[in-house]
Amino acid sequence: MSAFPHTFPLTRRGFFRAAGTAIVATVAPALTGCASQPGPRWRADPFALGVAAGEPTPDGFVLWTRLAPDPLSSDPDTPGGMPHRGTTGGDVAIDYEIATDPAMRAIVRSGHAIAEADYAHSVHLEVRGLEPGRRYWYRFRSGEADSDIGQAITAPAAGTPTDRLRFGFVSCANYEHGYFSAYRHLADESPDLVLFLGDYIYEFVEDRRPTVRKHSDGIEAKTLPLYRNRYAQYRTDPDLRRLHATAPCLMTWDDHEVQNDYADRWSQTFDDPTAFLRRRADAYRAFYEHMPVRPSRARPQGASMRVYERFAFGDLVSFAMLDGRQWRARESCYGAPDRGRAHLTVDATCPERLDATRSMLGDQQEAWLYDRLAKSTTRWNVLGQDVLMAEFRQRQKDDTFAFWSDDWNGYPAARERLLTHLHDSRVANPVVLGGDIHSFWANDLQLSIGARPVTIATEFVGTSVTSPGVPFDYFNDRIADNPHIRFFESRVRGYGSVDVARGRMTTKFRAISDVRDPNAGVTTLKTFVVEDGKPGVQVA
Ligand code: FE
Ligand code: CA
């Protein structure tokens, strides 16, 4: 993408100088009449965090940007270098344009969008009334500053015959552990859509392992200003910025957007739930402020935010994006005296794991999902969610089996309910995508029917963008105890690349050469197909 030369001198009128910084923000004093105001003048690029599009529907999408001329401002009163409300601050009206060509000549829509001071001057523009099933380009403008030109698509109308959709899925991008070459190579593929499956940021600061680069503030994010700056730092990464400009996205989160291995109001560090919910509210708000999610659905209410939603692309494929953190049951045997941390493997000494009332998604989201899946008429039904779903039995020294408590292995009754629903409702071609475990997996998701394992759905788990992989030997030694695990590899970083056609879905596991190399190359590690009407992994 272009570099941004816009650096404008301060001038007299309407300018605000943040104390102790060289930044400016300035704005039309009121939103009304802003069209007639001269635009703000900026001494630094207000669009340093780039642009993003998300949540394509048949008639539109959500467009995002955030004004941040000083992206990592350390003054909590001027997030991104922009003043809060008051005599000098407030909402800012900026211009946007949507075109049908990459040079932005054929403008089909233009107007004003509001950068809301209450949400760190982020813009969440819900665009409607566009044509279905086509590509658009967009940009924002403020004064003499132009944003990146981004690409978005509208979905084909419901039921429209649709031959193909190409998308990528990514997860676990710890800035400190490497460069975002996975994002760059995915952008180079020009996918129609990108699914972010969680751990988009990491809240903690690495203090046990060597790092490649640093979280700028050097402390764990626990408050709104710190979460904001974490997102801002990630968005200044050129590879991530370009990926967002290249394709619209669907978002969900995992734990590190708030805290490692949290579950609902239950903190890994056993914080008081009321205090933890305050932290969660700050974290969710910062997530909202930085993502192209639909404000009419996703704007947070205190510590609650609705991330889950379903998106359909003609008659071909739908994506149910799920929230596996906000409503999940407390991790089994949480706080047991022998446990220093919430997340551990649990075994037969923890019967709570098997409790039928435990839910990963929460009752409301589970009911919503089953209803949407039962009514779905698309040929492929993708579930985009955060963690490994397949059973993974971990043989212990005494030949008993233990299970990871933080993924679906900690919620086996919920997994069985979901797979039973997929089976009983004859949901067409269910494919589950996940992340979290920093390794590639290709799995047959099975139910025991009449004592016989029957494959109900197919699962692909993407490796991390940068985060260190789980120990290869430990996991690999246990694959033989789990014959439904068809492929496992934790020694590479990368992403998943999927080509959905009517008759088959092809999934490539793409591996980058070296996470420490900002110019890393990419290769295809493995290619799998799922045939229409035949659940389960096939090696291409
Ligand atoms: Fe992770
Ligand atoms: Ca995680």
Side-chain angles (χ1 to χ4, degrees):
M1 303 305 291
S2 55
F4 291 84
H6 307 287
T7 302
F8 301 114
L10 279 168
T11 58
R12 54 198 215 312
R13 188 174 158 275
F15 280 84
F16 171 82
R17 178 187 283 275
T21 77
I23 290 319
V24 177
T26 131
V27 238
L31 297 175
T32 51
C34 48
S36 60
Q37 299 277 343
R41 312 195 82 193
W42 303 93
R43 6 181 329 184
D45 177 17
F47 298 113
L49 304 185
V51 299
E55 308 203 0
T57 60
D59 80 333
F61 33 70
V62 177
L63 298 181
W64 175 93
T65 192
R66 181 188 156 204
L67 300 178
D70 183 11
L72 302 183
S73 167
S74 57
D75 180 349
D77 291 331
T78 58
M82 296 289 287
H84 275 308
R85 283 190 188 288
T87 51
T88 54
D91 292 350
V92 180
I94 64 173
D95 299 322
Y96 75 92
E97 294 176 327
I98 300 171
T100 53
D101 66 312
M104 303 292 299
R105 290 199 186 90
I107 304 286
V108 294
R109 184 71 66 82
S110 62
H112 297 297
I114 304 303
E116 294 177 286
D118 284 345
Y119 295 93
H121 289 94
S122 59
V123 170
H124 295 79
L125 179 67
E126 299 190 55
V127 179
R128 296 198 177 85
L130 300 178
E131 290 174 29
R134 69 162 304 158
R135 187 169 297 272
Y136 290 93
W137 286 259
Y138 64 92
R139 77 174 153 210
F140 295 97
R141 284 190 151 145
S142 177
E144 294 176 61
D146 285 0
S147 76
D148 296 347
I149 295 172
Q151 293 182 61
I153 60 168
T154 51
T160 302
T162 302
D163 291 332
R164 200 170 174 209
L165 186 87
R166 291 163 50 251
F167 70 93
F169 62 99
V170 288
S171 61
C172 294
N174 189 324
Y175 188 93
E176 297 196 311
H177 278 289
Y179 293 99
F180 292 163
S181 296
Y183 288 153
R184 181 176 68 256
H185 287 291
L186 176 54
D188 286 346
E189 295 185 19
S190 298
D192 300 314
L193 190 66
V194 177
L195 273 56
F196 287 91
L197 299 180
D199 292 357
Y200 184 100
I201 60 157
Y202 279 75
E203 85 291 7
F204 69 89
V205 170
E206 182 62 78
D207 58 6
R208 293 178 298 145
R209 291 178 278 205
T211 54
V212 176
R213 48 187 186 169
K214 292 291 181 192
H215 285 147
S216 57
D217 42 33
I219 49 173
E220 180 169 341
K222 293 183 176 179
T223 63
L224 183 56
L226 290 167
Y227 284 117
R228 276 176 175 157
N229 274 17
R230 196 66 101 236
Y231 283 101
Q233 185 178 11
Y234 282 55
R235 280 292 176 78
T236 57
D237 179 278
D239 295 322
L240 178 53
R241 180 170 163 177
R242 188 161 76 86
L243 179 59
H244 275 297
T246 300
C249 63
L250 303 178
M251 303 294 315
T252 190
W253 52 34
D254 190 32
D255 52 341
H256 286 289
E257 285 83 353
V258 183
Q259 184 208 40
N260 183 50
D261 286 1
Y262 83 97
D264 187 358
R265 60 194 181 281
W266 307 103
S267 158
Q268 181 192 28
T269 39
F270 307 112
D271 302 321
D272 166 56
T274 306
F276 184 70
L277 283 177
R278 282 196 292 273
R279 176 178 180 177
R280 197 179 91 174
D282 281 357
Y284 284 8
R285 188 181 185 93
F287 179 92
Y288 172 77
E289 289 172 352
H290 292 85
M291 297 304 171
V293 292
R294 200 164 286 279
S296 52
R297 183 200 72 247
R299 179 164 282 190
Q301 306 288 325
S304 299
M305 178 172 163
R306 184 172 153 184
V307 171
Y308 69 84
E309 186 57 285
R310 178 177 177 273
F311 304 90
F313 291 79
D315 70 349
L316 184 66
V317 56
S318 62
F319 298 88
M321 300 298 290
L322 304 179
D323 177 347
R325 288 288 165 185
Q326 190 170 181
W327 297 286
R328 64 157 73 182
R330 200 171 70 171
E331 296 191 5
S332 51
C333 298
Y334 177 91
D338 59 333
R339 299 180 194 289
R341 303 170 75 193
H343 80 176
L344 279 176
T345 51
V346 290
D347 58 20
T349 64
C350 178
E352 182 187 346
R353 185 181 78 93
L354 304 172
D355 185 335
T357 65
R358 289 166 50 71
S359 178
M360 173 67 97
L361 303 176
D363 295 342
Q364 197 175 330
Q365 184 181 194
E366 220 176 289
W368 168 87
L369 175 64
Y370 296 172
D371 177 64
R372 291 307 190 93
L373 287 171
K375 289 175 181 162
S376 173
T377 57
T378 55
R379 181 169 298 218
W380 299 91
N381 286 278
V382 174
L383 306 187
Q385 53 90 55
D386 51 341
V387 292
L388 176 71
M389 186 175 287
E391 181 176 68
F392 185 64
R393 309 193 304 165
Q394 302 186 34
R395 186 182 290 274
Q396 306 299 294
K397 288 197 185 95
D398 61 1
D399 279 342
T400 61
F401 290 110
F403 299 86
W404 190 241
S405 64
D406 186 63
D407 63 25
W408 288 85
N409 283 281
Y411 303 80
R415 177 177 57 208
E416 185 162 339
R417 277 197 301 279
L418 172 56
L419 293 176
T420 300
H421 178 78
L422 293 173
H423 179 259
D424 292 352
S425 297
R426 301 176 186 279
V427 175
N429 297 314
V431 176
V432 176
L433 303 178
D436 170 62
I437 194 163
H438 307 174
S439 40
F440 281 124
W441 303 62
N443 309 324
D444 294 340
L445 293 173
Q446 297 179 329
L447 271 182
S448 286
I449 299 177
R452 193 172 64 89
V454 176
T455 298
I456 305 295
T458 319
E459 176 175 41
F460 297 103
V461 177
T463 194
S464 55
V465 169
T466 60
S467 305
V470 294
F472 179 78
D473 291 340
Y474 175 89
F475 280 80
N476 199 45
D477 288 349
R478 286 161 179 78
I479 298 300
D481 286 321
N482 298 275
H484 55 284
I485 308 293
R486 308 287 303 283
F487 181 80
F488 166 78
E489 177 56 75
S490 67
R491 294 169 295 187
V492 292
R493 317 276 65 84
Y495 61 96
S497 177
V498 184
D499 190 338
V500 191
R502 304 180 76 79
R504 57 167 45 187
M505 176 183 290
T506 305
T507 301
K508 291 186 166 138
F509 286 170
R510 302 273 283 163
I512 60 160
S513 57
D514 183 352
V515 77
R516 295 162 300 181
D517 177 2
N519 301 308
V522 69
T523 53
T524 296
L525 179 69
K526 203 82 185 170
T527 303
F528 302 97
V529 296
V530 182
E531 299 283 351
D532 178 24
K534 191 166 184 292
V537 175
Q538 296 180 48
V539 178

